[in-house]
Amino acid sequence: MGDRVEVENVNHPGRTERVDAAKYAAIRDLMLAALPQGAPGLTGAQIKDALRPDLPQDLFPGGATLGWWAKSVQLDLEAKGLVQRAPTRPLTFFRPT
């Protein structure tokens, strides 16, 4: 089944899920590189667009499941305090300063 990593969800404190470690690490690294420090940040759609060019095709052939992974990693990074959301509509996300 491969290596797994536990992820949190800022919307459900105390609840964790186990996901593929290689896919998680790939999205996490790309997301942290793409997100600016400080508001206003990027929307969810902008985050996916920023990740897509460097997405490892061996892990995500044709970009399959990118949306799910981007959201899962974003929620985990928020729970860990590495990403914040701005109170905007649509929501935007950024790295804390």
Side-chain angles (χ1 to χ4, degrees):
M1 191 160 182
D3 289 338
R4 311 289 275 177
V5 63
E6 280 193 2
V7 295
E8 302 173 61
N9 183 329
V10 70
N11 297 322
H12 300 282
R15 183 175 175 199
T16 61
E17 296 290 330
R18 294 182 57 75
V19 300
D20 183 273
K23 289 181 179 183
Y24 173 86
I27 297 294
R28 180 200 60 216
D29 293 347
L30 290 172
M31 187 176 292
L32 289 174
L35 286 173
Q37 265 194 315
L42 300 175
T43 65
Q46 290 170 324
I47 292 170
K48 287 191 294 187
D49 288 345
L51 302 180
R52 197 168 276 113
D54 296 315
L55 203 58
Q57 289 301 303
D58 60 325
L59 297 175
F60 303 95
T65 67
L66 172 59
W68 186 90
W69 280 98
K71 189 62 174 179
S72 180
V73 171
Q74 171 251 305
L75 290 168
D76 180 63
L77 294 177
E78 270 192 273
K80 291 175 169 58
L82 298 174
V83 168
Q84 290 182 325
R85 68 175 67 186
T88 59
R89 292 291 180 243
L91 290 174
T92 58
F93 305 92
F94 57 92
R95 289 180 295 122
T97 54

